[in-house]
Amino acid sequence: AQTVTQSQPEMSVQEAETVTLSCTYDTSENNYYLFWYKQPPSRQMILVIRQEAYKQQNATENRFSVNFQKAAKSFSLKISDSQLGDTAMYFCAFTSMSGTASKLTFGTGTRLQVTL
Amino acid sequence: ETGVTQTPRHLVMGMTNKKSLKCEQHLGHNAMYWYKQSAKKPLELMFVYNFKEQTENNSVPSRFSPECPNSSHLFLHLHTLQPEDSALYLCASSQDGTGGYGQPQHFGDGTRLSIL
């Protein structure tokens, strides 16, 4: 079974600064996908970024980028130029390439507060 | 417009009541999911439907009964619930039909369920 661990329950960053959220996972599979989702107070879970395990290049999406270390099973999220709207819960998630649908395994989340 | 709509947004019910949660997706996806989100716990996958067929039941108690009449609609029928069932119930959909190709899931805003 896969597990996802987010060791930082809460983090705080000042506006315009950079913050990195940590995520580690455990799996015996070689091909899989990793995701970061954001859940603001509005409750809707929003996809931030996706990484395919067979791609060595780290995924980037505007101010969001990941540091994917496959051997270490680490998948951290870097938010650059933080904005007040980035305040949310951030969840790391894993899905394997087996099966017939993308079942996600989530971590417990990191609550990020962006301050002035 | 989120693409995935859940109703009701909030639900308060007694332990002997019967109610249903509704989810509708307008994205043309083939797979739909129910998740339970409790405080300080990872999102728990409950059920997966792929092309209207249930492909996953994650050891969910029988007091939760899913129904998927077509690829756009998903219901969660509730009866004789317990206080520990109070949580946010999230519905999601993804393009997957077959193969588990890591398609991102799109989430609704959830139903906040409180059991008295």
Side-chain angles (χ1 to χ4, degrees):
Chain A
Q2 292 87 11
T3 59
V4 178
T5 302
Q6 293 179 251
S7 58
Q8 305 153 314
E10 295 184 359
M11 293 194 72
S12 180
V13 63
Q14 285 192 317
E15 199 177 20
E17 297 296 308
T18 295
V19 64
T20 298
L21 308 183
S22 301
C23 173
T24 58
Y25 59 94
D26 189 23
T27 182
S28 58
E29 301 192 23
N30 194 44
N31 294 318
Y32 48 87
Y33 290 86
L34 295 161
F35 303 85
W36 278 98
Y37 279 88
K38 165 186 176 180
Q39 188 179 38
S42 64
R43 302 184 335 201
Q44 188 194 6
M45 198 78 73
I46 302 165
L47 177 67
V48 175
I49 202 163
R50 181 179 80 159
Q51 175 76 43
E52 296 153 346
Y54 58 88
K55 287 189 176 179
Q56 293 188 344
Q57 186 175 6
N58 289 326
T60 63
E61 194 71 40
N62 300 316
R63 296 182 296 107
F64 300 88
S65 61
V66 298
N67 182 4
F68 173 49
Q69 302 289 328
K70 190 172 183 180
K73 295 181 181 175
S74 171
F75 182 61
S76 60
L77 174 69
K78 185 171 83 170
I79 306 175
S80 304
D81 186 26
S82 297
Q83 301 176 0
L84 294 177
D86 295 333
T87 293
M89 283 289 291
Y90 285 81
F91 293 94
C92 179
F94 169 103
T95 188
S96 72
M97 291 184 70
S98 60
T100 57
S102 297
K103 297 179 292 184
L104 289 171
T105 300
F106 285 86
T108 50
T110 296
R111 185 176 301 281
L112 178 66
Q113 181 72 47
V114 181
T115 60
L116 291 171
Chain B
E1 176 60 52
T2 65
V4 179
T5 303
Q6 288 187 245
T7 55
R9 189 166 172 80
H10 301 275
L11 179 61
V12 179
M13 57 187 285
M15 289 191 285
T16 58
N17 291 157
K18 289 184 180 181
K19 297 285 185 183
S20 296
L21 310 185
K22 179 183 176 182
C23 176
E24 182 176 1
Q25 59 96 0
H26 313 276
L27 301 168
H29 288 166
N30 299 306
M32 296 188 77
Y33 311 77
W34 279 117
Y35 289 89
K36 176 183 179 183
Q37 186 176 23
S38 305
K40 301 191 190 312
K41 293 175 67 175
L43 272 78
E44 301 171 59
L45 178 66
M46 299 175 72
F47 300 104
V48 180
Y49 277 82
N50 206 16
F51 287 115
K52 302 188 299 180
E53 298 298 319
Q54 187 181 124
T55 57
E56 184 89 9
N57 177 338
N58 200 20
S59 302
V60 180
S62 60
R63 58 186 183 269
F64 294 91
S65 175
E67 178 190 0
C68 189
N70 54 61
S71 292
S72 299
H73 293 86
L74 185 64
F75 296 89
L76 188 62
H77 304 299
L78 316 170
H79 63 97
T80 323
L81 295 192
Q82 304 299 309
E84 61 266 27
D85 297 324
S86 296
L88 181 68
Y89 288 84
L90 290 166
C91 173
S93 70
S94 69
Q95 185 62 55
D96 298 74
T98 57
Y101 296 120
Q103 297 298 317
Q105 292 183 20
H106 298 253
F107 287 80
D109 290 344
T111 295
R112 174 74 63 191
L113 177 65
S114 298
I115 306 301
L116 301 177

